[in-house]
Amino acid sequence: RDQAQFHPRKYLLALLDVFTRNGGRVYEKTRATGLNEGHPCVVETTGGEVRARHVVLATHYPFVDRALLFPRVHPKRSYVVAGPADRLPDGMFISSTEPTRSVRTIPDGDRTLLLVSGEGHPTGQEYDTEERYVNLDRWGAEHFGLATEYRWSTQDGSSVDQLPYVGTIRRGSDDVYTATAFNKWGFTNGTTAAEIIADAIAGRSNEWADLFDVHRVTVTQSAEKFVTENTKVAIHWVRDRALHPQRSSADDLAPGEAGVHREGTRMVAAYRDEAGELHQVSAICTHLACVVAWNPAEKTWDCPCHGSRFDHHGRVIQGPAVQDLERVDP
């Protein structure tokens, strides 16, 4: 009852308008690459240095990890299809069983479209990503008569106890804050995180601060998931160097195909585009040196350990990595 649907872009544009009218400034196409704490703090970027009394690392997944969040935040991808449908739900719904299915409607001019999402999996650990879209197409057509016109994917982090991490990156520090692991509930968790951090900077108390605290200890709720997820990371770090699931000689790649192979002591990620041109980059993620995997649906190299993503030229498109993959001459 009393559900409210938000249009993501309109919602963000309204926030942006309020922000800029109150003196805020936004700089796009500027990648943050480093952070030095102090008075003031200094953020290193591709466009220069930014100095500030307080810094908030709201970078989806922290690229500076002084709170040791890497073993506690696990990136997952999800998929979305949308289009006209014969039957439309009268609200927003999510399934209570696996595989997860989430549905809502979208106003589109004089049409109303159906959106179906789900098929989540850990980043870089699913090799037939195209099948994920096929599964959603089939389910939407079967239950709602969906005719897919649009599709896209997204990525978010989940914590080991399912609650976001919001607060200072170091105990006793009030200079640098972070907000991450929204577990695919960005509207509500993002808004809550903003209120918690704004209150902390302004010196106000917040009733949710302890629950979302970055440094909380929840052994009972999180121990099993912590061990399971980090075991997967360790397996990928070791196994993929010896026997990568997408291992293939660059010479054997057909147009549109990609694979990982070894050249001497170097692991190489190779992609042959539809025109037949071969693109090769280092297969070692620049974050913590895991071996990347090809995502055929998005045509990206994805890291199975902490979710960094790179285009086929090796350029970073999603952190926590901040450095591009090294180009390798064919």
Side-chain angles (χ1 to χ4, degrees):
R1 296 176 182 173
D2 301 321
Q3 292 182 349
Q5 289 192 159
F6 288 82
H7 186 298
R9 185 169 180 270
K10 291 180 179 179
Y11 176 75
L12 292 174
L13 288 174
L15 290 178
L16 176 64
D17 180 59
V18 173
F19 178 68
T20 53
R21 281 194 285 109
N22 281 275
R25 289 177 288 176
V26 176
Y27 295 88
E28 298 180 294
K29 300 180 181 179
T30 305
R31 184 192 306 167
T33 58
L35 170 64
N36 297 309
E37 295 180 68
H39 300 284
C41 297
V42 179
V43 180
E44 300 167 1
T45 80
T46 53
E49 293 182 346
V50 179
R51 299 174 184 272
R53 171 67 180 87
H54 301 283
V55 173
V56 180
L57 284 169
T59 54
H60 193 67
Y61 196 117
F63 72 97
V64 175
D65 190 24
R66 287 155 198 171
L68 295 179
L69 289 169
F70 292 134
R72 296 188 284 149
V73 179
H74 307 288
K76 293 184 177 181
R77 296 200 64 73
S78 295
Y79 299 80
V80 187
V81 295
D86 297 335
R87 300 173 297 281
L88 295 172
D90 58 356
M92 298 178 289
F93 299 91
I94 188 169
S95 63
S96 60
T97 58
E98 296 290 340
T100 300
R101 296 287 183 261
S102 178
V103 297
R104 62 163 286 177
T105 56
I106 313 170
D108 179 40
D110 58 357
R111 303 190 303 170
T112 298
L113 306 183
L114 175 70
L115 181 153
V116 178
S117 63
E119 290 293 306
H121 63 81
T123 302
Q125 298 180 32
E126 168 61 47
Y127 306 112
D128 189 1
T129 48
E130 282 285 354
E131 183 182 7
R132 303 293 179 159
Y133 287 120
V134 172
N135 292 341
L136 291 178
D137 287 339
R138 184 184 299 119
W139 188 88
E142 177 183 351
H143 293 280
F144 294 95
L146 172 67
T148 298
E149 291 183 359
Y150 306 99
R151 70 179 202 174
W152 64 96
S153 64
T154 186
Q155 183 164 310
D156 201 2
S158 298
S159 69
V160 290
D161 63 3
Q162 304 304 303
L163 286 174
Y165 295 114
V166 181
T168 57
I169 63 169
R170 290 191 299 107
R171 292 185 185 277
S173 169
D174 64 352
D175 298 325
V176 181
Y177 297 81
T178 191
T180 189
F182 291 164
N183 197 26
K184 306 177 186 179
W185 295 89
F187 274 135
T188 49
N189 284 331
T191 301
T192 302
E195 292 181 350
I196 292 171
I197 292 174
D199 284 345
I201 291 174
R204 300 185 295 260
S205 63
N206 186 291
E207 61 179 317
W208 303 108
D210 290 340
L211 181 65
F212 287 69
D213 182 36
V214 174
H215 309 285
R216 66 183 181 269
V217 178
T218 54
V219 176
T220 303
Q221 298 91 335
S222 60
E224 181 179 355
K225 186 172 179 62
F226 179 90
V227 172
T228 300
E229 294 296 336
N230 285 287
T231 298
K232 291 179 182 178
V233 169
I235 290 172
H236 277 282
W237 201 98
V238 175
R239 184 204 63 184
D240 290 353
R241 282 169 162 72
L243 188 62
H244 196 283
Q246 296 174 318
R247 192 169 186 130
S248 176
S249 167
D251 295 334
D252 296 335
L253 297 175
E257 292 184 342
V260 173
H261 64 278
R262 184 179 291 277
E263 291 184 0
T265 59
R266 181 166 55 178
M267 296 290 292
V268 177
Y271 165 65
R272 193 176 299 279
D273 64 26
E274 299 296 342
E277 183 179 356
L278 185 65
H279 306 270
Q280 294 193 140
V281 296
S282 169
I284 304 302
C285 179
T286 55
H287 174 228
L288 288 178
C290 285
V291 181
V292 297
W294 181 246
N295 177 341
E298 314 301 329
K299 291 184 169 48
T300 58
W301 292 107
D302 298 355
C303 177
C305 293
H306 302 103
S308 298
R309 301 177 64 232
F310 309 83
D311 68 13
H312 70 265
H313 296 293
R315 294 181 293 234
V316 174
I317 56 175
Q318 190 149 6
V322 296
Q323 301 297 327
D324 297 341
L325 299 175
E326 181 184 357
R327 299 288 294 274
V328 177
D329 293 332

